[in-house]
Amino acid sequence: MNSFNAKEVRSTNIRYEHGTVSRNKRAKVLGQGQFRGCTVWFTGLSGAGKTTISFAVEEYLVLKGIAAYSLDGDNLRHGLNKNLGFSADDREENIRRVSETAKLFADGGIICLTSFISPYAKQREEARRLHEEAGLKFIEVHVATPINVCEERDVKGLYQKARAGIIKGFTGIDDPYEAPVNPDITLHSYKDSVADCVQQVVSYLQQQDIVPFDCVDTVRELFVPQHKVEEVKSEAETLPQLEVTKLDTQWIQVLSEGWATPLRGFMRETEYLQTIHFNNIKSVDGSSNQSVPIVLPITGEDKDRLKEEKSVALRYNGKVVAVVRDPEVYEKRKKYRLRLCVDTTA
């Protein structure tokens, strides 16, 4: 068997050729609206549930119309890595090849899901570096299943063979597994269902703006996290102020409780026009029915005062009730809206 050195470059007289197709163009061909390419790296002991969850996430995303592909450890050893064994050098080369392959999938606009034990932190850090240097997101998922549960699930009988000394260098028995210290996601497949694990992964992808909000089976609340309330209150006192009406506060409540999901606040102009024209909002967050415009009317004087501001505190009866980030000011088009909504010629 040939020995491999991941740092050794044996190819000579070569140069990297840059293509002319941008990632955004690839995204359009895939019909995704935005570039979503990234790698989700599942790591954990043998039997932890990596492959099961990876395949489930893949199926879930594809059903939502998002390009995804799973790279499984055993499957790749049937082809790309079939000439590799399980020595330390071969395992390092195995992960190096997987890292490079996953990067190509991600660069093509596909969410690549890899399920490999990948026991050494150094290998996973190298995989992350490879992606980040290419401007691609790398998400490490630790499927943190205790070894006793993994042994109970051991359909291949590998743990039994390893404890009997038949298999040498088996991760978790006579070879170490270096658990991630600070993974992006930690899954407890021994306590949570596969469906719950899928939602945790997809929810994280949504938070990173990789997949649209309607991918997640939940509503979007806009409340300030409890541990940041005092901090935001203090900040609000330093911001430009806008007094709102009782009706405005009712719309703020609708938004904050998630009843207008997937809106992230009062409508921007594009969302407003889509609503009055099509009774629907379509954006990178997906498509959703919306027939009622939810906007915050202001006076011309307030418009001139606030149009350059990045954040504005909303007050009602002297009390701060919300903070608007990156506000967008646009014409209300009152008569135009009336003609569309009530079929009047006024």
Side-chain angles (χ1 to χ4, degrees):
M1 168 98 41
N2 292 330
S3 61
F4 296 95
N5 185 336
K7 296 182 179 180
E8 181 181 1
V9 179
R10 297 179 180 177
S11 300
T12 58
N13 300 316
I14 61 171
R15 67 177 183 180
Y16 192 89
E17 299 289 350
H18 294 276
T20 58
V21 178
S22 70
R23 289 174 177 170
N24 285 336
K25 286 181 180 178
R26 293 194 190 106
K28 289 180 180 178
V29 170
L30 291 171
Q32 297 187 154
Q34 72 174 60
F35 182 78
R36 306 191 192 282
C38 68
T39 289
V40 182
W41 191 283
F42 293 90
T43 176
L45 294 169
S46 177
K50 303 180 298 299
T51 296
T52 299
I53 296 171
S54 174
F55 284 167
V57 173
E58 178 189 26
E59 181 180 19
Y60 185 91
L61 291 175
V62 170
L63 287 173
K64 295 286 186 178
I66 296 173
Y69 193 86
S70 287
L71 298 177
D72 175 69
D74 282 3
N75 290 354
L76 261 66
R77 284 183 178 274
H78 280 83
L80 178 65
N81 295 340
K82 68 180 180 181
N83 63 330
L84 298 177
F86 292 90
S87 67
D89 286 345
D90 281 7
R91 296 183 84 166
E92 182 178 358
E93 174 63 13
N94 181 52
I95 297 303
R96 188 194 70 81
R97 292 184 189 180
V98 173
S99 302
E100 293 282 2
T101 303
K103 187 187 78 169
L104 294 176
F105 272 87
D107 187 50
I110 296 171
I111 296 178
C112 186
L113 309 153
T114 71
S115 48
F116 292 78
I117 295 173
S118 44
Y120 307 126
K122 178 182 176 182
Q123 296 172 346
R124 301 191 300 268
E125 290 167 3
E126 179 64 19
R128 181 185 292 275
R129 181 197 63 77
L130 189 70
H131 282 72
E132 292 181 346
E133 286 185 354
L136 296 165
K137 292 183 179 180
F138 180 92
I139 298 155
E140 184 179 50
V141 183
H142 182 204
V143 186
T145 306
I147 191 169
N148 63 301
V149 177
C150 293
E151 290 196 60
E152 291 173 2
R153 295 175 173 176
D154 188 18
V155 295
K156 301 176 186 176
L158 299 179
Y159 282 98
Q160 185 178 3
K161 291 178 181 178
R163 292 196 181 278
I166 299 173
I167 298 177
K168 302 294 184 182
F170 191 80
T171 302
I173 302 300
D174 57 350
D175 201 62
Y177 174 73
E178 299 173 358
V181 176
N182 189 29
D184 299 293
I185 307 171
T186 300
L187 300 178
H188 301 287
S189 67
Y190 62 100
K191 295 191 297 184
D192 299 330
S193 68
V194 173
D196 288 339
C197 291
V198 167
Q199 287 302 311
Q200 290 176 56
V201 174
V202 176
S203 179
Y204 184 87
L205 293 177
Q206 185 275 323
Q207 292 168 24
Q208 299 299 308
D209 290 325
I210 295 171
V211 302
F213 183 80
D214 60 3
C215 267
V216 185
D217 294 337
T218 185
V219 298
R220 172 184 278 143
E221 293 186 347
L222 302 180
F223 292 111
V224 174
Q226 190 62 39
H227 67 283
K228 289 189 175 182
V229 169
E230 294 305 319
E231 176 186 337
V232 175
K233 281 184 176 179
S234 298
E235 179 196 8
E237 296 301 325
T238 69
L239 297 175
Q241 309 287 303
L242 177 66
E243 192 70 20
V244 297
T245 67
K246 182 177 181 180
L247 177 60
D248 295 330
T249 65
Q250 292 170 345
W251 282 121
I252 291 171
Q253 183 176 0
V254 168
L255 290 165
S256 62
E257 292 181 353
W259 294 106
T261 297
L263 288 180
R264 302 187 183 193
F266 287 106
M267 288 180 175
R268 295 187 174 276
E269 186 173 26
T270 298
E271 295 168 330
Y272 171 69
L273 292 174
Q274 288 176 340
T275 297
I276 62 176
H277 276 281
F278 310 116
N279 292 335
N280 185 277
I281 295 175
K282 187 171 184 179
S283 66
V284 295
D285 274 339
S287 178
S288 60
N289 294 328
Q290 180 67 43
S291 59
V292 179
I294 302 179
V295 295
L296 179 64
I298 60 175
T299 64
E301 181 181 341
D302 284 330
K303 170 189 171 184
D304 295 335
R305 178 172 64 90
L306 302 172
K307 63 182 179 181
E308 301 298 330
E309 299 295 339
K310 298 299 181 183
S311 296
V312 176
L314 306 184
R315 303 180 75 95
Y316 177 66
N317 286 342
K319 179 181 178 182
V320 173
V321 294
V323 173
V324 177
R325 306 291 188 188
D326 191 26
E328 180 181 6
V329 181
Y330 52 89
E331 295 297 327
K332 188 175 182 182
R333 300 179 177 88
K334 184 176 180 179
K335 291 185 178 180
Y336 179 64
R337 174 181 167 183
L338 282 172
R339 285 199 297 270
L340 289 173
C341 294
V342 298
D343 193 26
T344 178
T345 57

